[in-house]
Amino acid sequence: MNPLTQQEEIMRVTIQANGFVLTEALRSYTEQRLAIALGWAGRHMRRLAVSLSDINGPRGGIDKRCKIQVQLGGGKEVIIEDTEADLYSAIDRAAERADRAVVRQVERKRDFTHTRLPANRPPDINTDDDMRDRDDDAAS
C-alpha cells in the first residue's frame, strides 16, 4: 500500500526519473522517505513533485540529483535540490531539507494569522470607584 494514500485526496504526488528507468524499488523508497519527512504536512500541501536525474549518465561522479517541489496552500512553493554520488543519499538529504523548509513556511503562515480586536471596543480604564473598591477589599 502506498504510504501517501491518506493524503492523496488533498495533494497530488508525482515521481519521475530522467536519464534512467524508475524501478519499483526506487519509487517505493522515495515514497516512504517522503512520507516520513513530509507526512505531517499533508493538509498544508497541494502538490508534491519529485524529479530524480542522473546528470552525467554513465560517466559517473557526483551527479545524482533529487529535486523536490512542494506546492503549499496560498500559492507558496518550496523547491529543494540535492546532488550526491548516490541517488538514495540525494533523496534522503532533499527530503530532510524539504521538511525543514515546509516547517518554516507553515510557521510563517501561522505567525500572520492573528485575530483582530474590534475597532469599536473601548479600552479598559480603571475608575476611581474601582480603586476605592480595591482599597476596601485590601483593608478588610
Side-chain angles (χ1 to χ4, degrees), residues 24-85:
E24 188 56 40
L26 186 57
R27 174 182 295 280
S28 176
Y29 181 82
T30 304
E31 288 174 347
Q32 289 174 356
R33 195 62 187 93
L34 291 171
I36 291 168
L38 297 171
W40 66 270
R43 65 186 178 101
H44 299 286
M45 295 188 291
R46 297 293 170 248
R47 185 177 65 90
L48 177 60
V50 180
S51 175
L52 307 172
S53 56
D54 186 357
I55 301 166
N56 293 337
R59 291 181 292 192
I62 301 176
D63 68 336
K64 309 300 188 283
R65 179 178 295 155
C66 176
K67 179 179 179 181
I68 299 175
Q69 293 177 282
V70 181
Q71 183 70 45
L72 300 170
K76 295 285 186 180
E77 186 172 30
V78 172
I79 301 174
I80 301 294
E81 285 188 27
D82 198 88
T83 305
E84 300 288 333

Side-chain angles (χ1 to χ4, degrees), residues 57 99-100:
D99 175 45
R100 290 193 303 269

Side-chain angles (χ1 to χ4, degrees), residues 16-27 52 54 87:
Q16 65 180 18
N18 300 316
F20 60 91
V21 176
L22 180 62
T23 64
E24 188 56 40
L26 186 57
R27 174 182 295 280
L52 307 172
D54 186 357
L87 187 56

Side-chain angles (χ1 to χ4, degrees), residues 129-140:
D129 292 335
D130 291 338
M131 296 305 284
R132 278 190 223 118
D133 290 341
R134 288 185 193 153
D135 291 339
D136 293 341
D137 290 340
S140 24

